[in-house]
């Protein structure tokens, strides 16, 4: 099986979009996990992401086992800290918070986790992580003590993405924050996607198939949805259907 990053790159080159469902391993957020796994299997969701900024009651290990035993969908670590690393996963987004000026989240946490990761066989995907203002304060920004990029400062996001490409990151991740009031604006997604050939991941505050379509049309290659699916797992079918109609239209064009 090709690595996760090769898959993502291949899909990007073919103009295919991907959907990832984010599982937050906080006990309070897991009441629908079985249903989410079943529906994701039925509707061929592309990836599970797992991770959270702050876990009130950590069920990380439990979630990994549950997903791995219930599904063959690739599981990608999206760690909120260096403790959310587990080698049963298929890949790890090795995130650097490049929108920040806090060295701890640009390189400090990565140094702490580096030896453990390099001694494993897990696939590592170097990911430039940009926090974008999603209209309310968010946990990631608070914990990392860093300001998000203002939602309308498209040129700052573009320059940050271009610098990340020059630094040889493999993916760009535009993050409006979990539960954001405003998802990343399509203008910003469009401008970042135009300037680079790196796979573009977008997440935060997306709640409907229409918003997913907007993000895909603007140039997102992979969209991540957490909260909306957690509270209404049935949404997975309309998200997957939208992705499919998007591909069908594209192949007819
Ligand atoms: C992943 O933080 C997001 O990038 C998830 O945000 O929970 O708002 O979908 P939501």
């Amino acid at each position: 099986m090709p690595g996760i990053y090769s898959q993502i790159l291949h899909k990007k080159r073919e103009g295919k979009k991907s959907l990832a469902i984010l599982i937050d391993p906080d006990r309070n957020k897991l009441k629908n996990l079985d249903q989410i796994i079943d529906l994701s299997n039925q509707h061929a969701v592309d990836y599970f992401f797992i991770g959270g900024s702050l876990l009130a009651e950590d069920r990380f290990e439990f979630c990994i086992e549950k997903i791995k035993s219930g599904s063959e969908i690739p599981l990608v670590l999206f760690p909120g800290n260096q403790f959310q690393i587990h080698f049963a996963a298929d890949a790890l987004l090795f995130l650097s918070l490049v929108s920040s000026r806090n060295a701890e989240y640009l390189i400090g946490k990565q140094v702490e986790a580096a030896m453990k990761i390099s001694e494993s066989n897990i696939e590592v995907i170097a990911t430039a992580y940009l926090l974008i203002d999603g209209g309310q304060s968010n946990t990631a920004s608070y914990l990392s003590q860093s300001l998000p990029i203002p939602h309308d400062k498209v040129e700052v996001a573009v320059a940050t993405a271009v610098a990340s490409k020059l630094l040889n990151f493999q993916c760009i991740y535009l993050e409006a924050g979990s539960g954001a009031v405003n998802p990343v604006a399509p203008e910003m997604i469009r401008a970042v996607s135009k300037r680079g050939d790196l796979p573009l991941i977008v997440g935060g505050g997306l709640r409907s198939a229409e918003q997913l379509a907007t993000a895909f049309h603007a140039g997102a290659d992979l969209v991540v949805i957490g909260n909306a699916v957690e509270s209404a797992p049935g949404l997975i079918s309309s998200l997957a259907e939208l992705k499919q109609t998007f591909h069908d239209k594209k192949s007819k064009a």
Side-chain angles (χ1 to χ4, degrees):
M1 194 174 107
I4 304 296
Y5 185 64
S6 315
Q7 272 181 32
I8 294 175
L9 264 188
H10 182 73
K11 286 188 203 162
K12 178 176 177 61
R13 287 183 189 137
E14 304 236 296
K16 289 197 172 143
K17 305 294 181 180
S18 302
L19 171 66
I21 301 298
L22 174 65
I23 307 293
D24 184 333
D26 190 306
R27 189 181 212 285
N28 302 324
K29 299 197 170 180
L30 294 176
K31 57 182 190 308
N32 294 323
L33 183 57
D34 287 319
Q35 201 188 350
I36 291 172
I37 294 174
D38 286 349
L39 286 167
S40 300
N41 289 336
Q42 278 170 40
H43 294 284
V45 161
D46 299 277
Y47 304 102
F48 283 118
F49 278 16
I50 182 166
S53 301
L54 182 69
L55 310 181
E57 203 176 322
D58 189 351
R59 305 297 305 276
F60 183 61
E61 189 102 23
F62 163 85
C63 286
I64 298 257
E65 280 160 19
K66 187 123 193 144
I67 295 168
K68 277 310 216 182
S69 63
S71 178
E72 292 188 353
I73 296 171
L75 176 59
V76 177
L77 301 175
F78 173 52
N81 59 46
Q82 70 272 39
F83 305 112
Q84 294 172 20
I85 294 175
H86 195 294
F87 299 126
D90 298 284
L92 160 72
L93 295 187
F94 199 41
L95 305 166
S96 177
L97 186 54
V98 293
S99 57
S100 171
R101 297 298 175 265
N102 180 348
E104 220 15 61
Y105 288 82
L106 279 159
I107 185 63
K109 300 287 177 198
Q110 295 77 354
V111 170
E112 286 169 24
M115 299 316 290
K116 184 175 168 187
I117 294 168
S118 76
E119 281 157 17
S120 77
N121 288 324
I122 197 162
E123 180 183 348
V124 174
I125 303 173
T127 304
Y129 192 52
L130 284 71
L131 274 180
I132 313 297
D133 190 346
Q136 63 179 20
S137 58
N138 75 68
T139 315
S141 231
Y142 175 76
L143 290 179
S144 64
Q145 293 288 292
S146 55
L147 286 175
I149 296 176
H151 77 280
D152 56 347
K153 294 290 177 203
V154 170
E155 68 284 8
V156 177
V158 169
T160 309
V162 171
S164 304
K165 159 106 177 121
L166 295 173
L167 285 163
N168 273 334
F169 281 94
Q170 294 169 280
C171 272
I172 305 291
Y173 195 138
L174 297 179
E175 170 69 88
S178 175
V181 177
N182 306 315
V184 179
E187 297 73 24
M188 186 177 277
I189 299 175
R190 194 167 298 114
V192 170
S193 112
K194 267 195 192 147
R195 283 306 298 259
D197 48 6
L198 292 183
L200 179 57
I201 307 175
V202 174
L206 293 153
R207 296 175 178 79
S208 66
E210 291 70 31
Q211 288 177 317
L212 181 68
T214 304
F216 280 158
H217 275 294
D221 299 300
L222 194 166
V223 170
V224 187
I225 301 194
N227 276 296
V229 162
E230 220 166 77
S231 48
L235 181 62
I236 291 173
S237 66
S238 49
L239 296 173
E241 203 173 298
L242 175 281
K243 193 188 76 171
Q244 197 47 47
T245 47
F246 191 91
H247 288 171
D248 295 347
K249 268 193 214 143
K250 190 115 193 161
S251 54
K252 274 187 209 148

